[in-house]
Amino acid sequence: MTLAFVALGANLGDAPATVRIAMAQIDMIPRTRVTARSSLYRTAPFEASGPDFINAVVAVDTGLAPEALLDALQRLEQHAGRERPYHHAPRTLDLDLLRHGDAVLATPRLTLPHPRMNERAFVLVPLAEIAPELVSAEQLTAVAHQAIERL
Protein backbone atom coordinates (compact mmCIF):
# COMPACT_ATOMS: atom_id res chain seq x y z
CA MET A 1 0.00 0.00 0.00
CA THR A 2 1.14 3.53 -0.81
CA LEU A 3 0.15 6.72 0.99
CA ALA A 4 -1.28 9.23 -1.48
CA PHE A 5 -2.99 12.62 -1.14
CA VAL A 6 -5.89 13.93 -3.20
CA ALA A 7 -7.16 17.52 -3.34
CA LEU A 8 -10.89 18.01 -3.84
CA GLY A 9 -12.65 21.13 -5.05
CA ALA A 10 -16.05 22.20 -6.35
CA ASN A 11 -17.75 25.50 -7.09
CA LEU A 12 -20.96 24.57 -8.93
CA GLY A 13 -24.15 23.19 -7.43
CA ASP A 14 -24.11 22.11 -3.78
CA ALA A 15 -20.32 22.18 -3.54
CA PRO A 16 -20.03 21.15 0.14
CA ALA A 17 -22.23 18.10 -0.46
CA THR A 18 -20.35 17.25 -3.65
CA VAL A 19 -17.00 17.30 -1.85
CA ARG A 20 -18.33 15.17 1.03
CA ILE A 21 -19.83 12.65 -1.41
CA ALA A 22 -16.56 12.54 -3.36
CA MET A 23 -14.65 11.77 -0.15
CA ALA A 24 -16.94 8.78 0.40
CA GLN A 25 -16.60 7.70 -3.24
CA ILE A 26 -12.79 7.85 -3.09
CA ASP A 27 -13.02 5.45 -0.15
CA MET A 28 -14.89 3.02 -2.45
CA ILE A 29 -12.20 2.95 -5.15
CA PRO A 30 -10.85 -0.63 -5.28
CA ARG A 31 -7.69 -1.20 -3.23
CA THR A 32 -7.96 2.34 -1.84
CA ARG A 33 -9.03 3.55 1.59
CA VAL A 34 -9.37 7.09 2.90
CA THR A 35 -7.29 7.35 6.08
CA ALA A 36 -7.70 11.07 6.83
CA ARG A 37 -10.00 13.89 5.75
CA SER A 38 -9.39 17.60 6.17
CA SER A 39 -12.06 20.08 7.08
CA LEU A 40 -13.87 21.84 4.26
CA TYR A 41 -12.52 25.26 3.27
CA ARG A 42 -14.05 28.10 1.28
CA THR A 43 -11.74 29.94 -1.15
CA ALA A 44 -12.09 32.43 -3.95
CA PRO A 45 -11.34 31.01 -7.41
CA PHE A 46 -7.56 30.93 -8.03
CA GLU A 47 -6.57 32.07 -11.53
CA ALA A 48 -10.22 31.57 -12.49
CA SER A 49 -13.67 33.10 -12.24
CA GLY A 50 -16.99 31.92 -10.88
CA PRO A 51 -18.40 31.20 -7.43
CA ASP A 52 -16.22 30.46 -4.42
CA PHE A 53 -14.77 26.96 -4.18
CA ILE A 54 -15.17 24.41 -1.44
CA ASN A 55 -11.85 22.59 -1.02
CA ALA A 56 -10.46 19.73 1.04
CA VAL A 57 -7.68 17.12 0.99
CA VAL A 58 -7.84 13.41 1.78
CA ALA A 59 -5.08 10.94 2.53
CA VAL A 60 -5.51 7.46 1.10
CA ASP A 61 -3.72 4.15 1.35
CA THR A 62 -3.82 2.67 -2.12
CA GLY A 63 -2.61 -0.40 -3.89
CA LEU A 64 -3.12 1.31 -7.24
CA ALA A 65 -0.34 2.72 -9.40
CA PRO A 66 -0.44 6.51 -9.84
CA GLU A 67 -2.03 6.39 -13.31
CA ALA A 68 -4.65 3.86 -12.20
CA LEU A 69 -5.58 6.06 -9.24
CA LEU A 70 -5.77 9.08 -11.56
CA ASP A 71 -8.09 7.12 -13.88
CA ALA A 72 -10.38 6.27 -10.96
CA LEU A 73 -10.43 9.91 -9.79
CA GLN A 74 -11.27 11.13 -13.28
CA ARG A 75 -14.16 8.66 -13.47
CA LEU A 76 -15.54 10.19 -10.25
CA GLU A 77 -15.23 13.67 -11.78
CA GLN A 78 -17.12 12.54 -14.88
CA HIS A 79 -19.80 10.89 -12.75
CA ALA A 80 -20.25 14.24 -10.95
CA GLY A 81 -20.79 15.99 -14.28
CA ARG A 82 -17.34 17.50 -14.68
CA GLU A 83 -16.90 19.30 -17.98
CA ARG A 84 -13.75 20.93 -19.28
CA PRO A 85 -14.98 23.65 -21.68
CA TYR A 86 -11.90 25.81 -21.04
CA HIS A 87 -8.89 26.00 -18.71
CA HIS A 88 -9.87 26.89 -15.11
CA ALA A 89 -13.61 26.70 -15.89
CA PRO A 90 -16.00 26.45 -12.92
CA ARG A 91 -16.51 22.81 -12.01
CA THR A 92 -18.86 20.44 -10.32
CA LEU A 93 -15.88 18.45 -9.01
CA ASP A 94 -12.12 18.68 -9.37
CA LEU A 95 -9.89 15.91 -8.00
CA ASP A 96 -6.11 16.35 -8.15
CA LEU A 97 -3.60 13.68 -7.22
CA LEU A 98 -1.06 15.64 -5.17
CA ARG A 99 1.35 12.92 -4.09
CA HIS A 100 1.63 9.18 -4.50
CA GLY A 101 4.20 7.96 -2.01
CA ASP A 102 7.61 9.23 -3.03
CA ALA A 103 6.82 8.96 -6.76
CA VAL A 104 8.38 11.56 -9.01
CA LEU A 105 6.67 11.47 -12.37
CA ALA A 106 6.36 13.75 -15.41
CA THR A 107 4.16 12.39 -18.17
CA PRO A 108 1.68 14.16 -20.47
CA ARG A 109 -1.15 13.00 -18.14
CA LEU A 110 0.37 13.21 -14.69
CA THR A 111 3.09 15.10 -12.84
CA LEU A 112 3.98 14.08 -9.29
CA PRO A 113 4.27 15.67 -6.89
CA HIS A 114 1.60 18.04 -8.22
CA PRO A 115 3.57 20.87 -9.84
CA ARG A 116 1.56 23.81 -8.44
CA MET A 117 0.47 22.53 -5.04
CA ASN A 118 2.99 24.72 -3.19
CA GLU A 119 1.48 27.87 -4.75
CA ARG A 120 -2.04 27.29 -3.49
CA ALA A 121 -3.45 27.90 -0.03
CA PHE A 122 -6.49 25.78 -0.92
CA VAL A 123 -4.14 22.79 -1.14
CA LEU A 124 -1.51 23.55 1.48
CA VAL A 125 -3.83 24.57 4.35
CA PRO A 126 -6.00 21.40 4.27
CA LEU A 127 -2.92 19.25 3.57
CA ALA A 128 -1.21 20.75 6.63
CA GLU A 129 -4.28 19.89 8.70
CA ILE A 130 -4.00 16.14 7.96
CA ALA A 131 -0.25 15.81 7.23
CA PRO A 132 1.58 18.66 8.96
CA GLU A 133 4.94 16.99 8.33
CA LEU A 134 4.48 17.63 4.59
CA VAL A 135 3.92 21.39 4.80
CA SER A 136 6.48 23.82 6.19
CA ALA A 137 5.79 27.11 7.93
CA GLU A 138 7.58 28.82 5.03
CA GLN A 139 5.20 27.25 2.51
CA LEU A 140 2.18 28.43 4.49
CA THR A 141 3.66 31.93 4.82
CA ALA A 142 4.16 32.09 1.05
CA VAL A 143 0.41 31.59 0.46
CA ALA A 144 -0.86 33.53 3.48
CA HIS A 145 -2.12 36.37 1.22
CA GLN A 146 -4.65 33.98 -0.36
CA ALA A 147 -8.01 34.13 1.45
CA ILE A 148 -9.15 30.80 2.86
CA GLU A 149 -11.89 30.11 5.41
CA ARG A 150 -12.30 26.86 7.34
CA LEU A 151 -15.97 25.82 7.46
Side-chain angles (χ1 to χ4, degrees):
M1 297 298 274
T2 301
L3 179 62
F5 293 89
V6 178
L8 302 91
N11 73 334
L12 294 176
D14 186 347
T18 299
V19 170
R20 286 186 190 101
I21 289 166
M23 288 176 169
Q25 290 173 330
I26 291 169
D27 194 50
M28 293 187 288
I29 293 171
R31 301 177 53 210
T32 301
R33 291 296 159 252
V34 172
T35 59
R37 302 169 189 229
S38 76
S39 302
L40 300 184
Y41 292 84
R42 180 184 318 279
T43 61
F46 185 80
E47 298 177 349
S49 60
D52 285 352
F53 273 87
I54 300 300
N55 296 102
V57 171
V58 295
V60 299
D61 278 331
T62 186
L64 299 178
E67 294 86 356
L69 182 56
L70 177 65
D71 290 341
L73 295 172
Q74 289 180 339
R75 282 191 296 275
L76 293 178
E77 288 179 336
Q78 290 171 346
H79 182 72
R82 170 78 187 263
E83 296 179 359
R84 300 172 191 264
Y86 57 89
H87 195 56
H88 295 303
R91 54 209 66 171
T92 53
L93 181 63
D94 184 29
L95 301 173
D96 288 326
L97 183 55
L98 302 174
R99 298 177 64 109
H100 188 281
D102 294 326
V104 176
L105 202 65
T107 71
R109 285 193 65 221
L110 181 60
T111 302
L112 290 173
H114 191 286
R116 292 170 302 283
M117 65 186 270
N118 292 328
E119 303 166 7
R120 299 172 171 173
F122 67 82
V123 172
L124 290 179
V125 172
L127 180 61
E129 180 184 337
I130 62 170
E133 69 281 4
L134 296 179
V135 182
S136 71
E138 293 80 17
Q139 288 172 305
L140 291 173
T141 299
V143 298
H145 64 284
Q146 298 172 24
I148 184 166
E149 173 192 4
R150 184 177 178 175
L151 300 182

